[in-house]
Structure formats: structure tokens, C-alpha cells
Amino acid sequence: MVSERSQEALELYERLRREAESSGYYLNPDLELVLDLMEGLVTNLKRYGYMACPCRLASGVREKDLDIICPCDYRDADLEEYGACYCGLYVSEEVAQGRKKASPVPERRGTVLLKAEEEKPVFSGKGMPVWRCKVCGYLCARPSPPLKCPICKADKDRFERFA
């Protein structure tokens, strides 16, 4: 049973659910938890003007909080390693289907970025590596390829470094 929720939280839930499903991601099947998170995201949207993760302390300065605006920079790495993101909004396919339980996710704000910096290949120019989906050709610039291609839903291992 879903407890009473704000209309904004319910609308945000529907929007994020559609976006997650269309891009190969999964929201946590625990609807009460997800709706609590929606309320937190709506509160942070009103408070700061952006949807800072409700489980982290935001500074209120967008430039300082870019890494924790939902979906945060750590989501893919957390899903891959722990089966859920830090707040538990997004979960891996195995967790969503009940085949596996998510592990506790340590706060690693800043550490993933440092790790990504360490793993970042050396380029003659500046910028982020570009990844290409070998299935549909989708291109994205980020430290590592996405877990799922947002276009064709191919897995991470179907990406190759393009530039």
C-alpha cells in the first residue's frame, strides 16, 4: 500500500520510472522507499533548484553539487559494484528482478572521480574519452561507458573507445 504522497512526488516517480525503463535502468522495486526518495528529490528541487540526492548533504551551489544531482555521477559504478546506487533509487537488473540483494554502498563521493581520473587514458588533447556503442553507434563522452546503451539497451561490454 502506498502511503499518502504529494502529487509532485508521484509525477516525478512516473517520469523517472519511464526514463529508467526506456534507458535500460531499473528503479528499486520497494515502492515506499522510492516514493520517500521522490519526496526528497522534490524538496531539494524546491530548495536548491536542482534534484540533489536526498541521501547526501548538498551545498546549495549547483556547481559544487553537480556530482550528486540525480542520477548522480556514481550511479553506474555503484550499480555495477553493489547492485544499487548510494540512495537505493536505482538498482541493477538482478536486484530489480529479485535474483540478488543489493549490498550496502559506502559513500565514495569524490573517490570515483579520482579513480576515473587515474584510469583516464592519456590523450594528446584535453577532454573526456568518447565511447561508441558497437550495436547502434551511440556516442557518449564520460570516464567509462554506460551500463546500458540508452538507445539500443546493449550492455556496457558492447561499447568501444572511440576517441
Side-chain angles (χ1 to χ4, degrees), residues 6-16 18:
S6 72
Q7 185 63 33
E8 295 158 309
L10 295 172
E11 289 172 5
L12 179 60
Y13 166 71
E14 283 303 320
R15 183 176 65 107
L16 292 184
R18 279 193 313 273

Side-chain angles (χ1 to χ4, degrees), residues 9 21 28-30 32 39 42 48 65 71 77 96 107 111 115 127 129-131 134-135 150 154 156:
E21 288 176 359
N28 194 317
D30 182 344
E32 284 297 323
E39 295 285 358
V42 167
Y48 304 123
D65 295 334
E107 172 61 272
T111 59
K115 185 178 176 187
V130 176
W131 301 93
K134 292 188 280 187
V135 177
K156 179 180 185 173

Side-chain angles (χ1 to χ4, degrees), residues 48 50 52 57-70 109:
Y48 304 123
Y50 51 89
L57 185 59
S59 71
V61 178
R62 183 179 173 88
E63 292 75 25
K64 291 182 180 178
D65 295 334
L66 285 175
D67 63 324
I68 60 168
I69 294 176
C70 189
R109 188 173 185 193

Side-chain angles (χ1 to χ4, degrees), residues 9 35-45 47 51-54:
L35 291 174
D36 284 346
L37 293 168
M38 295 299 112
E39 295 285 358
L41 289 170
V42 167
T43 297
N44 284 344
L45 181 61
R47 182 180 294 150
M51 294 194 311
C53 177

